[in-house]
Amino acid sequence: MSSSDSSCYTVVFESSAEYPSAAELRTGLEKGSDEVKIDTLRKIIVSTINGNPQPTLMMPIIQFVMPSRNKQLKKLLHFYWEVCPKYDENGKLKQEMILVVNAIRNDLQHPNEYIRGASLRFLQKIAKDAELLEPLIPTCRSCLEHRHSYVRKNAVFALYSIYREFENLIPDAPELMYTFLIAESDSACKRNAFVFLAHCSMPKAVEYILSIYDSIGSLDESLQMSIVEIIRLDCKSDSAHRSRYIRCIFELLNAPSHAVKYEAATTLTTLTQNPEAVKAAASCFITLVIKESDNNVKLIVLDRLDTLRAKHGHVLDGLIMDVLLVLSSADMEVRRKAIGIVLSMTSSRNVEDVVLFLKKQLQKTQEADFEKAPEYRQLLIQSIHVTAVKFSEVAASVVHALMEFLGDSNNPSALDVVAFVREIVEKFPHLRATICEKLISTLPEIKSGKVFRGVLWILGEYVESVSDIQSAMREIRKVIGEIPILASEQRLLDDVNGEGDEEEEKEKEKPKAESGGRPKVLADGTYATETAYTSTSVARLEAVKAAAKPPLRTLILGGDFFTGAVLAAALTKLFLRFDEKTKDRVSSNTMRAEAMLIMTSIIRVGQSKFVTVQIDEDSNERIMNCIQTLSELESQPAVHEVFLEDTKKAYSKMLGAQEKRAADKKEAETTKTVAIQVDDLLSFRQFSKKTADEAIDYDEDVGRATGSGEVQEDFMSNLSRISQLTGFSDPIYAEAFVKMHGFDIQLDVLLVNQTHSTLQNLCLDFATLGDLKIVERPAVYTIGPHGFQSIKATIKVSSTETGVIFGSILWEGPNMSEACVILNDIHIDIMDYIKPAYCNEAQFRSMWTEFEWENRVNVNNSISDPREYLKHVMKATNMSCLTPEGATSGECDFLSANMYARSLFGEDALANLSVERTETGVTGHVRIRSKTQGIALSLGDRITMVIFSAQKDNKPLTV
């Protein structure tokens, strides 16, 4: 072996300013104490690793360090013998190494077991040097009989390392190990010897397994793990012992070690597809999840259980109640994963038991000391929602239980209940009457404006009988309080003022209050003073606002006029339906007047001083439209259809689109992709393993993943990534090929010397702007006349932010004159790090509220179709559209859509496109939100750049 073939495992930094000379190192080895020798030898090792081997110091080390009895020095010596050059220039072993081999033999016979064991471990590091090892073989074999287990277990692996490289040195190693294994009592030694047999002589390993077949269950954990691995490897071929292996694995499912259980269950599913075996493996996985304390392990085992469920269909349905026990875990990710598995295992046979368990868990979340109750409650409500929609027979039993949580202080849970109830009343008409009756009685308990809006919409759409409409009106009057709102609030303020008349008279008898402090400056620049009288008036008004009021009235006075507009629409629908069903004109007119009074009182109080925020134009216009509809009842019958039918049809259409999307997703998941084509070569391994559950040859799978699975790069796409760094007339022409590789950017720079002179000490210096970091600086080069030089540089990317790489080339020309060329900037395209992603509406709204960075990009483009512009923005930003296709279809001059993407660094990017079609094209804006500033600005710049470049070229934007 030549020195050029030796491997370098690491590079350790050494400062050239502090590094001593060879003479100083020799002096430290000869005359220094043990501490000095340790420090000196450490410096020599570092120097050798970094390419400066110091060959003249080998003999001083042999003379002055090797005889030492210091254990730390002996350990450092092993490191030195590992990295030092052992062969001369002709590839022959150096003469000095004979002394080293003799010293190692002495250490292998040393009475101290630590020195013997450390020396045996060192032999594993030099196992490729046959000339060094051959004289040490007898001594290594004798260490197998040492009294101490530490020596014996290291002797096994030393012999294993030697046998793996040079079988001729120990031709009888398998028999030697088998004999050693039979006689050995220490578990670590037995495990090492068994691993030796497994990799060097599989028949001997199988023979040993069969010899201890009845006692495998009582063996040590590490040996049981090795046995499971050997069983898996042996079954790659058609082993005659498969049935005995399966019985053995069944026994190991009850092992005390969790690691052995997991490996045994995984191996069992690869050996057989028998339903009983699959159930046993699944039960073992479930037990592991329940008993294991590490949440990461729980998630890994649940993933394995989910894979097993996906492959074996309804075989595991009987274990669904056992899976539900996993919900006792406190970690939300574990609960969420377990719920996902339960929902996929739910069938008509077990749905009632599942729903009953979930309802009990839902009741437990109301206990004060329940951990993470709001999040868990929301998860349970969503799960019951999915189950009830899928299995109609349980919908009636759960809907009333869930409506108890409409008044929940945790707003997301209550919103999930509203979404559930809204879907149930649409899909199950026979439940509408009882659900609406329950909703009407629940109105006083609701606290959230969003929940109120959902409930009012349901009541407006699905309350149909005359008695129910009248009941709904009575409850709405209760939750809104006395009307007109403005008059009642003013009366309350007057009452408070009346109680304070006596105090006011006393204040009037007193001299005028002097204004305290500095005078206040009004908006028009004049001065104003504040007296005790005005302070009292403001305090009384605040007291009126803070008084206890019905929930819906509180929301309206708090400025939630969107809920007021929804209330107006619900009242309009209720009256229109009531007017159709009753012939009592007196009752009809009374209800109409009452509804109009409520609407007008909302508008009037919205323009008064009693509200926190004045009413907005949209809500005002919406309520006025409802008032107009009721006032022109006979003259505008077409509006009735809009209120009573169109909104319900729109919701039905939305549900249909959701169901279609879910069905398409399920079909895509269940449809098997074609792994091979009909004219491809057949793999006979597939035939031989047809009964197995999955591939068990891990080494072969890794080889496929790293070898044949490589994607061939497109030459034309590579050309588009080349950036010109200098001009053609510069002394040096430079261009760079920019390649994205995971979280790294690799720059392959080509330099061409265009002069007739030699450029010496040429240095390519890069600098970065943004979250980019240069990993290593390029070296110094010398380029001959008209010569070429390729330089590679690696840059680490830490976030999705537009980065810029800039730099210069420095060199020494003729007469040692320095010259410099400034390079063009390289702009890093963040689109390589952003991928389309999907989330539901609730998650989008939650992130939109949470994210603080927003970038608004104004749109003014010549495209006439808003949908074409949406497609272009999606292509330019690598974002996916979350708005359903049905919502963006049809002829309309307006378009609003939500988009979502996720970066490789886990950053979420949200966008909302709102555009309008005009005579000149599309106008509007794109709002981008993210948790960090970089990705929001980068996406905004990307949209602006693409639009500007297209307009500059006078090209239509195409997709």
Side-chain angles (χ1 to χ4, degrees):
M1 175 186 287
S2 64
S3 59
S4 60
D5 294 332
S6 59
S7 301
C8 176
Y9 298 102
T10 185
V11 176
V12 183
F13 174 75
E14 60 174 336
S15 175
S16 56
E18 300 177 359
Y19 193 75
S21 64
E24 293 173 339
L25 292 174
R26 178 188 290 270
T27 303
L29 294 174
E30 291 179 4
K31 302 179 180 180
S33 62
D34 283 351
E35 287 74 16
V36 174
K37 289 180 180 179
I38 288 172
D39 185 61
T40 304
L41 189 56
R42 184 178 285 112
K43 290 178 180 178
I44 295 173
I45 293 172
V46 170
S47 174
T48 305
I49 289 175
N50 287 337
N52 185 16
Q54 305 279 4
T56 58
L57 296 177
M58 180 177 284
M59 276 310 296
I61 290 174
I62 293 174
Q63 287 177 325
F64 302 109
V65 178
M66 206 159 60
S68 174
R69 295 185 177 183
N70 187 295
K71 292 184 175 60
Q72 191 174 356
L73 261 180
K74 284 189 175 293
K75 187 68 176 175
L76 280 175
L77 264 180
H78 290 163
F79 287 139
Y80 178 72
W81 299 137
E82 182 181 348
V83 300
C84 73
K86 307 174 188 63
Y87 297 86
D88 58 20
E89 296 176 355
N90 298 323
K92 294 184 179 179
L93 193 69
K94 290 183 176 181
Q95 295 295 322
E96 297 91 331
M97 296 307 296
I98 297 175
L99 300 173
V100 175
V101 170
N102 187 54
I104 295 173
R105 184 190 294 111
N106 292 336
D107 286 344
L108 290 175
Q109 297 172 340
H110 200 280
N112 185 299
E113 63 271 7
Y114 168 77
I115 294 177
R116 276 205 190 196
S119 302
L120 289 165
R121 288 171 65 88
F122 164 66
L123 289 185
Q124 300 173 38
K125 304 290 183 64
I126 60 169
K128 293 186 178 181
D129 298 306
E131 295 181 54
L132 286 177
L133 295 172
E134 190 170 2
L136 303 174
I137 299 298
T139 314
C140 286
R141 295 179 66 129
S142 65
C143 287
L144 289 174
E145 302 173 2
H146 194 271
R147 59 180 178 78
H148 204 283
S149 60
Y150 178 73
V151 177
R152 297 198 303 272
K153 72 177 184 180
N154 283 301
V156 171
F157 269 170
L159 290 172
Y160 170 51
S161 302
I162 297 170
Y163 182 78
R164 187 175 54 189
E165 297 294 335
F166 309 103
E167 292 187 16
N168 59 305
L169 294 181
I170 320 175
D172 62 336
E175 292 76 11
L176 177 67
M177 278 301 115
Y178 185 79
T179 306
F180 172 81
L181 192 57
I182 295 296
E184 182 57 56
S185 59
D186 183 75
S187 59
C189 297
K190 293 172 74 171
R191 184 257 175 194
N192 289 5
F194 186 71
V195 170
F196 186 129
L197 287 180
H199 289 86
C200 298
S201 179
M202 180 64 75
K204 288 286 183 183
V206 172
E207 182 182 348
Y208 177 72
I209 291 176
L210 297 179
S211 67
I212 60 166
Y213 183 81
D214 296 330
S215 60
I216 288 178
S218 59
L219 296 177
D220 182 73
E221 173 188 351
S222 59
L223 190 55
Q224 287 178 338
M225 293 281 285
S226 300
I227 289 174
V228 172
E229 182 183 358
I230 297 310
I231 290 175
R232 193 162 52 222
L233 292 173
D234 191 39
C235 286
K236 282 167 48 179
S237 58
D238 286 331
S239 174
H241 310 293
R242 180 182 291 268
S243 59
R244 299 190 69 183
Y245 286 157
I246 293 174
R247 287 197 296 273
C248 174
I249 295 296
F250 260 107
E251 185 178 352
L252 290 178
L253 291 178
N254 300 317
S257 168
H258 289 179
V260 174
K261 282 184 176 180
Y262 177 78
E263 289 295 332
T266 304
T267 304
L268 184 60
T269 58
T270 66
L271 298 181
T272 178
Q273 286 186 328
N274 184 280
E276 292 302 320
V278 172
K279 279 187 178 180
S283 298
C284 183
F285 285 142
I286 295 170
T287 304
L288 282 176
V289 176
I290 295 173
K291 292 184 177 180
E292 180 60 46
S293 58
D294 191 336
N295 290 327
N296 292 323
V297 175
K298 288 176 183 281
L299 291 172
I300 292 171
V301 178
L302 284 173
D303 279 334
R304 176 67 68 174
L305 181 63
D306 194 24
T307 304
L308 201 62
R309 176 208 56 77
K311 291 183 177 179
H312 294 281
H314 297 291
V315 173
L316 307 182
D317 285 356
L319 301 174
I320 190 167
M321 299 309 294
D322 296 332
V323 180
L324 283 170
L325 297 177
V326 178
L327 296 178
S328 59
S329 172
D331 185 73
M332 282 305 301
E333 286 300 319
V334 174
R335 287 172 172 169
R336 194 170 284 111
K337 188 74 179 176
I339 282 287
I341 296 174
V342 166
L343 293 181
S344 59
M345 294 171 65
T346 305
S347 64
S348 56
R349 295 190 299 273
N350 54 33
V351 64
E352 292 185 0
D353 295 333
V354 171
V355 169
L356 182 62
F357 185 91
L358 295 179
K359 284 165 66 176
K360 289 180 179 178
Q361 290 289 307
L362 199 57
Q363 294 298 325
K364 287 183 180 179
T365 61
Q366 294 180 303
E367 299 174 4
D369 59 342
F370 196 87
E371 192 172 356
K372 297 180 181 177
E375 295 178 60
Y376 188 37
R377 186 182 307 132
Q378 186 178 0
L379 176 63
L380 291 171
I381 290 171
Q382 292 171 349
S383 306
I384 294 175
H385 178 178
V386 173
T387 307
V389 171
K390 189 176 180 181
F391 302 97
S392 58
E393 61 267 25
V394 298
S397 63
V398 299
V399 68
H400 292 283
L402 287 187
M403 281 194 284
E404 299 292 338
F405 295 91
L406 282 173
D408 193 355
S409 57
N410 181 35
N411 198 29
S413 299
L415 286 176
D416 287 334
V417 174
V418 169
F420 167 66
V421 174
R422 187 171 57 195
E423 190 170 350
I424 291 297
V425 294
E426 170 61 29
K427 291 188 173 182
F428 306 110
H430 64 281
L431 299 176
R432 289 176 183 173
T434 55
I435 291 176
C436 290
E437 183 179 344
K438 178 68 174 176
L439 283 178
I440 292 170
S441 63
T442 312
L443 280 175
E445 303 172 7
I446 299 174
K447 305 177 184 66
S448 166
K450 291 183 179 180
V451 178
F452 253 121
R453 293 196 288 270
V455 172
L456 288 172
W457 186 88
I458 295 171
L459 294 179
E461 292 292 343
Y462 299 103
V463 174
E464 296 176 347
S465 66
V466 173
S467 59
D468 286 345
I469 293 175
Q470 291 174 333
S471 174
M473 288 295 294
R474 284 194 298 270
E475 288 299 325
I476 289 173
R477 280 292 304 271
K478 288 181 182 179
V479 295
I480 204 170
E482 184 182 353
I483 53 173
I485 302 175
L486 180 59
S488 61
E489 292 294 313
Q490 185 63 50
R491 191 182 314 116
L492 182 60
L493 179 60
D494 294 341
D495 292 344
V496 174
N497 289 338
E499 292 173 3
D501 282 346
E502 193 174 323
E503 287 78 1
E504 289 178 14
E505 290 298 328
K506 293 180 181 178
E507 289 294 329
K508 288 179 181 178
E509 292 173 4
K510 293 181 180 180
K512 241 181 204 181
E514 294 182 3
S515 59
R518 298 178 60 184
K520 292 186 176 179
V521 181
L522 299 178
D524 59 356
T526 60
Y527 290 103
T529 56
E530 183 180 7
T531 65
Y533 180 75
T534 55
S535 299
T536 305
S537 300
V538 172
R540 288 173 182 172
L541 180 60
E542 292 298 326
V544 170
K545 289 183 180 180
K549 298 179 178 67
L552 190 53
R553 189 190 195 94
T554 304
L555 291 171
I556 292 173
L557 292 175
D560 190 359
F561 293 103
F562 183 26
T563 302
V566 174
L567 172 62
L571 291 174
T572 304
K573 294 173 186 176
L574 288 173
F575 169 72
L576 291 176
R577 195 171 288 113
F578 182 81
D579 189 58
E580 287 180 356
K581 292 181 177 294
T582 184
K583 296 180 180 179
D584 187 353
R585 293 296 94 191
V586 176
S587 300
S588 179
N589 289 334
T590 303
M591 180 177 290
R592 175 162 59 166
E594 188 177 2
M596 293 176 71
L597 179 61
I598 293 174
M599 296 179 203
T600 52
S601 67
I602 293 174
I603 294 178
R604 289 203 62 198
V605 80
Q607 299 167 345
S608 71
K609 62 183 178 181
F610 292 99
V611 292
T612 309
V613 182
Q614 295 289 306
I615 187 170
D616 57 283
E617 290 185 15
D618 291 341
S619 301
N620 192 359
E621 183 180 356
R622 178 67 170 158
I623 297 173
M624 288 301 295
N625 286 340
C626 294
I627 295 174
Q628 185 179 1
T629 301
L630 295 183
S631 62
E632 301 173 359
L633 194 60
E634 304 298 334
S635 60
Q636 298 290 340
V639 181
H640 300 188
E641 183 180 349
V642 174
F643 274 100
L644 297 180
E645 297 181 15
D646 287 0
T647 52
K648 191 183 294 185
K649 287 180 181 177
Y651 181 62
S652 301
K653 187 177 180 182
M654 187 184 80
L655 283 182
Q658 289 178 353
E659 291 175 357
K660 182 177 181 299
R661 192 161 60 248
D664 293 343
K665 182 179 178 183
K666 184 176 181 181
E667 183 180 357
E669 291 175 351
T670 55
T671 303
K672 295 182 179 179
T673 57
V674 179
I676 56 173
Q677 299 298 328
V678 291
D679 57 347
D680 286 348
L681 291 176
L682 293 177
S683 171
F684 290 100
R685 180 168 172 264
Q686 301 295 328
F687 290 146
S688 63
K689 291 284 102 192
K690 195 169 183 179
T691 58
D693 190 32
E694 60 182 14
I696 56 178
D697 189 352
Y698 295 149
D699 296 335
E700 187 173 340
D701 291 342
V702 170
R704 287 177 178 174
T706 56
S708 59
E710 293 181 357
V711 178
Q712 298 297 322
E713 294 184 348
D714 182 19
F715 177 72
M716 296 304 295
S717 66
N718 286 347
L719 288 179
S720 65
R721 293 179 177 273
I722 293 179
S723 301
Q724 184 177 340
L725 302 181
T726 63
F728 292 111
S729 60
D730 286 321
I732 294 180
Y733 173 74
E735 63 181 23
F737 170 54
V738 183
K739 182 179 180 182
M740 308 294 180
H741 185 71
F743 301 115
D744 297 335
I745 299 174
Q746 294 180 350
L747 296 181
D748 190 351
V749 184
L750 174 65
L751 302 180
V752 181
N753 181 2
Q754 302 192 109
T755 68
H756 299 287
S757 305
T758 298
L759 306 182
Q760 298 180 347
N761 295 328
L762 183 141
C763 177
L764 180 61
D765 188 20
F766 280 122
T768 59
L769 185 66
D771 285 339
L772 304 177
K773 181 181 178 182
I774 298 175
V775 177
E776 54 186 347
R777 301 283 176 182
V780 177
Y781 299 92
T782 298
I783 306 179
H786 302 288
F788 296 82
Q789 180 66 50
S790 179
I791 301 176
K792 296 187 187 310
T794 303
I795 296 174
K796 182 72 78 176
V797 184
S798 57
S799 73
T800 311
E801 184 176 348
T802 300
V804 180
I805 304 172
F806 54 94
S808 60
I809 302 176
L810 303 170
W811 73 90
E812 293 179 0
N815 302 322
M816 301 298 289
S817 60
E818 292 188 358
C820 173
V821 173
I822 305 300
L823 305 178
N824 291 332
D825 296 345
I826 302 175
H827 292 265
I828 302 304
D829 189 1
I830 67 166
M831 291 303 106
D832 291 307
Y833 296 98
I834 293 180
K835 303 298 179 187
Y838 295 90
C839 65
N840 58 40
E841 183 182 358
Q843 292 171 330
F844 183 90
R845 290 182 181 275
S846 174
M847 288 188 288
W848 187 268
T849 306
E850 176 188 352
F851 291 170
E852 57 184 5
W853 289 103
E854 177 173 319
N855 186 13
R856 180 183 174 121
V857 180
N858 292 324
V859 174
N860 189 0
N861 203 272
S862 58
I863 295 183
S864 58
D865 187 357
R867 282 190 295 274
E868 287 297 319
Y869 184 77
L870 171 64
K871 292 179 181 177
H872 174 72
V873 171
M874 289 168 55
K875 181 180 179 182
T877 58
N878 279 357
M879 302 187 86
S880 59
C881 182
L882 301 182
T883 305
E885 187 177 348
T888 59
S889 61
E891 287 299 323
C892 184
D893 290 339
F894 299 91
L895 175 64
S896 179
N898 293 331
M899 296 177 287
Y900 176 60
R902 176 179 277 265
S903 74
L904 293 179
F905 307 96
E907 301 167 310
D908 296 302
L910 313 176
N912 173 259
L913 172 75
S914 298
V915 291
E916 173 187 4
R917 183 184 357 222
T918 62
E919 295 179 357
T920 58
V922 170
T923 61
H925 61 264
V926 180
R927 296 168 64 194
I928 303 165
R929 284 198 182 185
S930 66
K931 186 173 289 186
T932 57
Q933 181 184 18
I935 191 170
L937 294 177
S938 300
L939 285 175
D941 293 342
R942 174 73 178 178
I943 294 174
T944 305
M945 181 177 64
V946 172
I947 295 172
F948 177 75
S949 62
Q951 289 179 341
K952 183 178 178 182
D953 297 337
N954 271 329
K955 294 179 181 177
L957 295 173
T958 57
V959 179

